[in-house]
Amino acid sequence: MFQRFRRTRLNTHLRSLVRETHLSVNDFIYPLFVRSGEAIKTEVESMPGVFQMSIDEVLKECVKLKNLNIYSIILFGIPDTKDSIGSDSLCEHGIIASCIREIKNMHPDMFVVTDLCFCEYTDHGHCGIIDVENETVNNDATLEISAQQAIIHAKAGADMIAPSGMMDGIIATLREALDANGFENLPIMAYSTKFSSAYYGPFRDVAESTPSFGDRASYQMDPANRREAISESISDEAQGADILMVKPALAYLDIVREIKDNTSLPMAVYNVSGEYAMLKLAGKHNLIDYDRVVMETMISFKRAGADIIISYHAKEVAKMLKK
Ligand code: PBG
Ligand code: ZN
């Protein structure tokens, strides 16, 4: 039997017909950092192109995003005052609740996801209530105030809640609280597999959330642990999460693929601040072809199994996809 070993060379058209992985502007959620005040738009030194904005600037930004066909955002708040329990995040007049209301008022077609955590709102910078005796986060006390924060976000008009603190039992707790308050159809995107990572460095600059003592290793995951990483996402699926997430993205694509193959929920990756900063800096110094490296990186997330990409590159990608 004749066997031909040479492959037919495909032309550009046919290559695009048989391409296995596709990137769309609809895959993206764009992070926004909001603080109080007016006409404030301060660029973050470690993340060129990323800004802390006051609410009026966020509203203007939504117009620009929509022009690029980006309709999904995730909000992070920088409160005026921080205290031991993050009171700003538990109050309907806090920075995030106010911002959600104004966005939904002006731009009801924007899909507003809220990061639900305490590290940006506490004076100690940890993701929950601290036990003074042993200086660690008290898991169950944090669950209680997390449920309160979820209801604040929900009442303000959030379209999806994304708890990022990695407390045990958080998904079940939030699902129960949302259901009991009439928000049965408000989805939860779990930061289900979140590693204790040095890639979050620049984010902590922009969110002003570096812990004042210790680190987050007691509640975030050890990068060395594969089985634990997968079981965390499986547990959140069982607790009622609607979307799972792996964070950071680039150094954990093996984990993305394994979770994808072992669960049946849609998956997000968080292409975090440190990953963004590395490409920005390398691009600035002409060490890489920035645009091509960004696109190659985004495709790698989709190929690994991500359905959703949370990325500071979203606007740039949208512009490149338009071309
Ligand atoms: C809050 C939170 C963090 C990020 C998203 N939500 C920081 C952290 O856990 O320290 C990081 C995002 C990024 O680095 O871009 N818990
Ligand atoms: Zn946190």
Side-chain angles (χ1 to χ4, degrees):
M1 234 260 276
F2 169 68
Q3 197 178 354
R4 185 180 187 239
F5 288 101
R6 189 179 89 66
R7 281 187 182 277
T8 315
R9 297 243 161 85
L10 310 183
N11 69 12
T12 319
H13 180 85
L14 194 46
R15 275 208 305 276
S16 86
L17 273 179
V18 300
R19 185 161 293 139
E20 295 176 39
T21 312
H22 296 272
L23 203 58
S24 151
V25 66
N26 300 324
D27 301 331
F28 286 87
I29 300 180
Y30 186 62
L32 288 175
F33 298 92
V34 52
R35 67 179 319 149
S36 67
E38 241 174 272
I40 294 173
K41 191 173 174 187
T42 319
E43 192 164 20
V44 183
E45 208 182 320
S46 50
M47 296 175 74
V50 174
F51 300 83
Q52 296 183 342
M53 293 178 216
S54 49
I55 294 176
D56 55 324
E57 292 292 330
V58 168
L59 296 176
K60 285 194 238 165
E61 184 69 17
C62 289
V63 176
K64 291 186 196 160
L65 290 168
K66 289 201 278 189
N67 284 332
L68 291 168
N69 277 321
I70 298 172
Y71 283 84
S72 311
I73 52 176
I74 181 163
L75 296 181
F76 297 92
I78 303 141
D80 278 338
T81 50
K82 305 192 183 209
D83 60 20
S84 63
I85 62 161
S87 302
D88 188 90
S89 68
L90 300 171
C91 159
E92 61 177 308
H93 302 294
I95 184 67
I96 285 297
S98 310
C99 188
I100 302 167
R101 272 194 304 273
E102 294 209 36
I103 294 172
K104 294 307 286 188
N105 187 28
M106 281 271 282
H107 302 286
D109 49 353
M110 279 313 260
F111 187 84
V112 180
V113 185
T114 54
D115 182 88
L116 193 156
C117 204
F118 288 94
C119 48
E120 297 129 71
Y121 307 95
T122 50
D123 47 15
H124 45 72
H126 278 283
C127 300
I129 292 183
I130 294 291
D131 263 340
V132 217
E133 314 88 70
N134 49 13
E135 294 209 331
T136 62
V137 171
N138 183 317
N139 192 87
D140 295 358
T142 303
L143 291 182
E144 271 176 47
I145 56 171
S146 297
Q148 287 174 34
Q149 193 183 134
I151 302 304
I152 293 282
H153 291 182
K155 285 187 173 158
D159 295 298
M160 181 156 73
I161 309 276
S164 68
M166 284 292 279
M167 296 302 135
D168 293 332
I170 183 77
I171 303 304
T173 302
L174 296 188
R175 190 68 272 162
E176 202 184 332
L178 290 169
D179 289 358
N181 284 273
F183 298 105
E184 297 91 345
N185 287 311
L186 189 61
I188 300 175
M189 176 166 71
Y191 282 68
S192 50
T193 297
K194 178 174 176 182
F195 291 94
S196 174
S197 171
Y199 281 103
Y200 307 149
F203 174 94
R204 293 179 187 173
D205 289 348
V206 52
E208 300 174 8
S209 64
T210 306
S212 59
F213 60 87
D215 56 33
R216 302 201 213 292
S218 68
Y219 41 100
Q220 296 181 352
M221 290 206 25
D222 183 344
N225 292 356
R226 178 182 139 253
R227 282 179 305 172
E228 187 189 9
I230 294 155
S231 74
E232 287 282 349
S233 274
I234 289 174
S235 162
D236 282 2
E237 179 177 43
Q239 288 178 47
D242 298 283
I243 297 175
L244 301 173
M245 192 198 298
V246 173
K247 177 186 168 196
L250 208 41
Y252 299 94
L253 293 184
D254 56 331
I255 304 294
V256 175
R257 169 49 60 192
E258 275 201 82
I259 292 174
K260 183 77 173 186
D261 290 344
N262 286 285
T263 59
S264 45
L265 292 177
M267 278 203 52
V269 290
Y270 200 134
N271 173 216
V272 301
S273 56
E275 301 172 62
Y276 175 84
M278 290 195 302
L279 297 197
K280 271 284 168 206
L281 210 66
K284 186 177 159 204
H285 293 286
N286 282 317
L287 301 172
I288 54 170
D289 180 335
Y290 179 80
D291 287 4
R292 285 188 57 200
V293 172
V294 168
M295 290 311 243
E296 192 176 327
T297 305
M298 299 301 138
I299 275 288
S300 77
F301 299 152
K302 294 290 297 284
R303 195 190 60 235
D307 303 287
I308 296 172
I309 302 170
I310 305 169
S311 179
Y312 307 100
H313 293 293
K315 287 167 72 182
E316 301 164 346
V317 173
K319 284 177 201 159
M320 286 187 247
L321 288 171
K322 263 191 179 176
K323 281 194 215 142

